[in-house]
């Protein structure tokens, strides 16, 4: 801000352009530039008095051309179209508006992109790579093969309230498409019996996500399918245990790897010796300790509440009663 209460929005760009073209590397260049500007204002300003504004504007534009990198813009277009839209929209906002408008546009579009990523996590169908125990995306690996009677899906991203409805519908579409594909095979493939969800890429889950998994399980059971959860992380297991929904799924429906889940589905549920509790048995013990600790804290809080309430009844109420009696006595007399 200056003494006349105005702000120079374009000054920072010209200074950055000068520093960039001069090859400055450290913040010490700002000190040198400030001294040069001060000397210019004190001694050399009469020499620039009759310089046309068009010439000064041309000098600034020429200096700013070095800040424009067209190769970077082309690179954004090739790599990510949405990043290119953010870059171009910001440029338009700064040129035809102001720096503030450009910043608002850039931040708004970046938030929109983040919301789209969170609300639309990727889902893939997995298949077994020949002669291996690995399961990879069939879209990425053309050699991956389906497992007869089993649909394996992978969710990439956290499961929360923003994407629970989308994932519920997306899983349902995967199931319908697999059923249509099997029916179109004219009996050459066995019917679908199991649906495996690979949760290895799910870093977190909330109550809406847990409710979504329960609704998907009920939906598949109504259609005669069995839902299997594979490779859930510690955070997912803890949230499911605290929500008391692990018993609904059953220990035989949770396995540490997709390979174990697929083997259990082929050999019969429960015959695989790789249950999730046997792999990470300390989780349940730790959560029980946490639950007991929270119960003790709740009991202490309740006991403190009742203790204070008893003191109030024994100390405050008698005094209030005596005060009311004295007031009533004065009214009577």
């Amino acid at each position: 801000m200056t003494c006349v209460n105005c702000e120079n929005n374009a000054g920072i760009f010209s200074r950055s352009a000068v520093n960039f073209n001069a090859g400055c590397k450290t913040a010490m260049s700002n000190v040198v530039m400030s001294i040069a500007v001060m000397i210019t204002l004190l001694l050399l300003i009469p020499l620039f008095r009759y310089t046309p504004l068009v010439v000064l504007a041309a000098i600034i534009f020429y200096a700013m051309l070095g800040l424009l990198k067209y190769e970077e813009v082309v690179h954004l277009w090739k790599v990510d179209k949405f990043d290119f839209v953010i870059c171009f929209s910001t440029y338009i906002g700064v040129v035809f508006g102001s720096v503030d408008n450009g910043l608002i546009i850039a931040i708004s579009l970046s938030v929109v992109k983040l919301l789209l990523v969170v609300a639309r996590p990727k889902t893939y169908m997995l298949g077994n790579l020949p002669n291996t125990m690995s399961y990879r995306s069939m879209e990425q690996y053309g050699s991956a093969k389906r497992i007869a009677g089993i649909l394996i899906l992978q969710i990439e991203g956290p499961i929360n309230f923003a994407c629970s409805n989308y994932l519920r519908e997306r899983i349902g579409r995967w199931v319908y498409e697999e059923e249509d594909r099997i029916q179109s095979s004219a009996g050459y493939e066995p019917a679908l019996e199991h649906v495996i969800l690979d949760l290895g890429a799910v870093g977190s889950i909330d109550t809406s996500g847990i409710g979504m998994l329960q609704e998907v399980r009920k939906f598949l059971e109504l259609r005669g399918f069995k839902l299997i959860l594979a490779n859930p992380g510690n955070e997912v297991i803890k949230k499911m245990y605290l929500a008391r929904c692990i018993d609904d799924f059953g220990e035989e429906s949770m396995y540490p790897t997709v390979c174990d889940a697929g083997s259990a589905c082929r050999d019969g549920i429960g015959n695989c010796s790789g249950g999730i509790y046997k792999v990470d048995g300390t989780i349940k013990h730790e959560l029980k300790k946490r639950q007991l600790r929270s119960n003790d804290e709740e009991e202490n809080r309740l006991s403190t509440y009742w203790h204070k309430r008893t003191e109030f009844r024994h100390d405050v109420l008698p005094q209030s009663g005596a005060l009311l009696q004295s007031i009533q006595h004065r009214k009577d007399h």
Side-chain angles (χ1 to χ4, degrees):
M1 302 295 291
T2 65
C3 59
V4 293
N5 226 6
C6 63
E7 182 180 359
N8 189 1
N9 288 329
I12 186 172
F13 287 103
S14 60
R15 292 196 298 269
S16 300
V18 171
N19 287 348
F20 179 79
N21 293 329
C24 299
K25 301 296 183 183
T26 64
M28 190 63 186
S29 62
N30 294 325
V31 178
V32 177
M33 181 181 60
S34 301
I35 296 174
V37 170
M38 182 178 63
I39 295 174
T40 303
L41 292 176
L42 293 177
L43 302 177
L44 303 179
I45 197 64
L47 301 177
F48 298 99
R49 180 178 301 177
Y50 301 103
T51 304
L53 296 179
V54 178
V55 176
L56 296 178
I59 294 174
I60 294 176
F61 272 101
Y62 179 78
M64 290 184 61
L65 289 177
L67 297 178
L68 301 178
K69 297 182 179 180
Y70 302 100
E71 298 81 4
E72 295 292 335
V73 178
V74 176
H75 178 73
L76 289 178
W77 172 261
K78 293 180 180 179
V79 176
D80 194 331
K81 301 297 189 299
F82 203 102
D83 287 344
F84 171 81
V85 172
I86 296 175
C87 176
F88 188 75
S89 301
T90 305
Y91 172 77
I92 296 298
V94 171
V95 172
F96 294 98
S98 64
V99 177
D100 297 336
N101 293 337
L103 290 175
I104 293 174
I105 293 174
I107 294 174
S108 302
L109 292 178
S110 299
V111 172
V112 170
K113 180 182 179 180
L114 180 61
L115 292 177
L116 289 176
V117 173
V118 173
R120 295 291 186 270
K122 299 293 184 180
T123 57
Y124 301 99
M125 179 186 296
L126 302 184
N128 178 241
L129 296 179
N131 303 321
T132 66
M133 301 176 64
S134 300
Y135 290 81
R136 294 294 183 268
S137 172
M138 298 185 63
E139 180 180 354
Q140 182 178 2
Y141 295 87
S143 60
K145 303 298 182 182
R146 288 184 172 88
I147 306 300
I150 303 175
L151 175 62
I152 306 175
L153 302 177
Q154 183 184 47
I155 301 175
E156 288 192 354
I159 303 177
N160 48 47
F161 71 96
C163 62
S164 57
N165 291 331
Y166 169 77
L167 288 177
R168 186 189 305 111
E169 297 175 359
R170 191 70 187 93
I171 293 173
R173 288 202 301 270
W174 279 113
V175 173
Y176 292 140
E177 291 174 1
E178 185 67 11
E179 286 183 318
D180 294 339
R181 188 190 65 82
I182 293 176
Q183 291 179 0
S184 62
S185 64
Y188 290 101
E189 294 188 16
L192 183 63
E193 298 180 359
H194 304 93
V195 177
I196 300 176
L197 287 182
D198 183 8
L199 304 180
V202 179
S204 62
I205 190 172
D206 61 1
T207 53
S208 299
I210 294 174
M212 183 274 295
L213 292 178
Q214 291 178 325
E215 292 179 4
V216 170
R217 178 183 61 84
K218 295 177 182 179
F219 163 74
L220 294 177
E221 288 180 352
L222 290 176
R223 301 184 66 85
F225 307 141
K226 180 70 175 180
L227 177 63
I228 308 296
L229 303 181
N231 195 20
N234 288 342
E235 187 67 23
V236 177
I237 288 295
K238 290 178 182 178
K239 292 292 183 65
M240 294 182 66
Y241 182 81
L242 292 175
R244 300 179 181 179
C245 68
I246 286 185
D247 295 335
D248 297 337
F249 286 90
E251 182 179 349
E252 70 280 358
S253 298
M254 305 181 71
Y255 293 88
T257 63
V258 177
C259 180
D260 291 336
S263 300
C265 294
R266 288 194 298 266
D267 301 336
I269 295 295
N271 293 334
C272 183
S273 59
I276 190 67
Y277 292 117
K278 298 178 182 178
V279 173
D280 200 350
T282 60
I283 295 178
K284 192 173 182 180
H285 179 66
E286 292 177 359
L287 291 174
K288 281 185 176 180
K289 289 172 60 178
R290 184 190 300 179
Q291 188 173 6
L292 292 175
R293 193 183 306 115
S294 62
N295 292 338
D296 294 339
E297 293 176 356
E298 182 69 16
E299 291 178 0
N300 294 333
R301 189 182 65 83
L302 291 176
S303 63
T304 304
Y305 167 76
W306 285 110
H307 179 70
K308 291 182 178 180
R309 184 173 179 179
T310 304
E311 291 180 351
F312 177 80
R313 293 176 59 185
H314 287 288
D315 298 338
V316 180
L317 291 183
Q319 296 178 6
S320 301
L323 179 61
L324 292 175
Q325 289 179 1
S326 63
I327 294 174
Q328 185 67 29
H329 181 72
R330 290 180 180 180
K331 288 182 178 180
D332 295 339
H333 295 281

